[in-house]
Amino acid sequence: MDKLKVLEKVLDNASIEMLQKAQDDCVDTCFDRADTQKNQCGFGRTGVCCRICHLGPCRITPKAPKGICGATVDTIVARNFLREVTGGASAHSDHGRHIVLKLREVAEGKAPGYSIKDERALRRAADQYGVEQEGREANEVALDLVKVFMNEFSEQEETLKTLTLAPQKRQAIWENLGIKPSGIDRMAVEAMHRTHMGVDHDYKNLLQHAFRVSLTDGWGGARVASIASDILFGTPAPVKSRANLGVMQKNTVNILVHGHEPSLSDILAVAVADPEIKEYAKAAGAEGITLAGICCTANEVLMRRGIPVAGNFLQQELAIITGAVEMMIIDVQCCMPSLPDVAAHYHTEIISTLDIAKTIGAAHVNVEKGDTLEAAKGLVKRAIDNFKNRDAAKINIPKDTAPLIAGFSVDAIKYMLGGRYRASFRPLNDAIMQNRILGVAGIVGCNNTKMKSDEYNNILTAELIKRNVLVLQTGCTAISSAKAGMLVPEIALEIAGTGLREVCEAVGIPPVLHMGSCVDNSRILEAATEVVLEGGLGDDLSAVPAVGVAPEWMSEKAITIGCYFVASGIDVILGNPFYVAGSEKVNSYLHDGCRAEFGASFHLIEDPYQAVDRIIELLNKKRDALGINRKTERKMFDMKDRRAM
Ligand code: NFS
Ligand code: SF4
């Protein structure tokens, strides 16, 4: 890959340097493999390939318009879509389940190293879910809350309790459509049943279940994951840190945590601060230990502990190519199976930690049983022991990092907006009603080798804040913005529109708020619900001037997130398409037809500038409907004004 090609693939300087180094070091990365895979299968891309039974695989073409069983293209595409949504919901929800089980162990006093760190979060959740608290100890309350949470997974008939956290009107819409989900596990099993050969063939019925399953995520497993994580590890509050590969240091032992679950990474943060461990590192000739994160595990420990972020999804291999990583500890989701191959070129050890997620070439250390703090210390010592195996000739850590502020949980935003004694969303609602803030955009999702990494994320974010749109972010998108220096208040002064700038200055927040990992997209719904409850901006989520955007998404989880946003009444812009183009009916239902039901739909817009225009249009439509778009405040620019700008 020559220099020019590298520049087409990644945006930030650190990634450019490392991708070039990969060529010099003869390391194959996802960027090379994306080239090898270049002519990606058109049947797969359009969703028309069915391999659900062994009469097939069947592929739909004009000459072969039906599968052997007679399945139409609509059935096949809808079935494939439902299975993807179920994959995403399952990933988030199973993550949630693990945290809930951990909470139970902690409350039973069986998890050394952990504790209920945020009793306020526990009490708040107990209130929301109607758990008796009067005169009861935190552990007792927690155990009852765990029962409620476990029931969200196992319930067979009743609908999810978490749904009741949504605005009343939205709940009524779900009720009328008959898409209120029952237990998370049951809905996933039902999805697999419905998509089995010869069961559900009505594309609309299948898609309806896709939306139902997505609700088990956003208003189920993911919400439960965020709540339980806050109880165990603390509700995030604004915290300073840094992002990009330059957070690693030449003279320290560098340990990266990568994946999604906070259970181990949180304890690792404790382990690296242990005086005995620090001594151990010194004795090995290192100046100290640097713990940093990749992907959403990074976001979890960033939000709560200010642990720096080494990179987002497409930087996971590039981080190893610095030659300065002693150990990369992976758990679940978004960890490429290529990591041990890349690591084999250097001294880096890849350690997998959960029995449900093993990778060939990685050493496996189970940290679920026994004393996690001891296990964490053991891993850190093992990384320190590996320090001596570095090959100095292969080390090159890019200098690039950017400062950031993260940690904007809904609680934190409320507090920032209203102060400790009057914590509320009122000032935000007022700013929207007065047109100082046009609306809110939740920009979320991944990086994708189909596009230049970070580019769409960053163009969109910058253009929206220029136009007075407050941006909420999670996941790898938030890391894109962090690397570009957009997660600090100062940037507001530089590029935000006047109205947004005034609000940010008055409140002391950046115009781009980092709200956490991808399961924390439920926090965006929570924030939107607060806006509705605060009053003045309609009585449903679909009335609020808010949109969701997934510019560079790639995972099934992102599809599920998109679906629960739409089902919640929030329009979603996609930067790259679903695998549904093969069915005119499915495609048009998702991008248009479902609006009649939810008041929102998907919009595929592959150009970031066009996406900006559509978002502004969507926000203005909502504002018009609310009657808050006063003409005098909408200045139209003529050529002279434009030149002056
Ligand atoms: Ni979300 Fe987080 Fe990143 Fe995408 Fe993967 S890490 S859960 S799926 S790639 S944003
Ligand atoms: Fe072919 Fe029908 Fe079997 Fe799918 S379910 S592989 S379309 S025969």
Side-chain angles (χ1 to χ4, degrees), residues 511-579:
V512 185
L513 301 179
H514 187 325
M515 295 188 76
S517 64
C518 280
V519 294
D520 291 330
N521 281 317
S522 62
R523 293 191 204 273
I524 296 183
L525 295 180
E526 189 188 353
T529 305
E530 290 282 344
V531 167
V532 171
L533 297 179
E534 191 55 50
L537 292 172
D539 56 357
D540 178 35
L541 296 169
S542 65
V544 178
V547 294
V549 199
E552 303 179 26
W553 72 276
M554 65 85 201
S555 77
E556 288 176 332
K557 290 175 286 176
I559 303 178
T560 318
I561 294 162
C563 284
Y564 71 65
F565 266 63
V566 167
S568 300
I570 300 172
D571 282 283
V572 172
I573 316 284
L574 302 171
N576 66 84
F578 290 144
Y579 297 149

Side-chain angles (χ1 to χ4, degrees), residues 360-415:
I360 297 290
H364 190 69
V365 178
N366 179 307
V367 295
E368 291 167 292
K369 300 184 186 82
D371 189 328
T372 311
L373 182 57
E374 277 314 304
K377 283 187 189 167
L379 283 174
V380 176
K381 281 189 173 170
R382 182 164 167 173
I384 295 170
D385 291 339
N386 195 20
F387 184 68
K388 63 175 185 298
N389 297 324
R390 276 188 181 189
D391 179 348
K394 282 190 179 169
I395 296 181
N396 178 11
I397 309 173
K399 299 254 168 337
D400 312 74
T401 69
L404 67 96
I405 295 184
F408 293 94
S409 59
V410 169
D411 207 39
I413 297 175
K414 248 187 178 171
Y415 170 70

Side-chain angles (χ1 to χ4, degrees), residues 51-57 68 197:
R51 45 185 294 284
I52 271 171
C53 89
H54 282 239
L55 303 182
I68 294 169
M197 194 273 163

Side-chain angles (χ1 to χ4, degrees), residues 92 260 295-296 313 334 445-446 475-476 518 554-555 557:
H92 278 160
H260 285 77
C295 283
C296 282
F313 179 59
C334 304
C446 327
C476 289
C518 280
M554 65 85 201
S555 77
K557 290 175 286 176

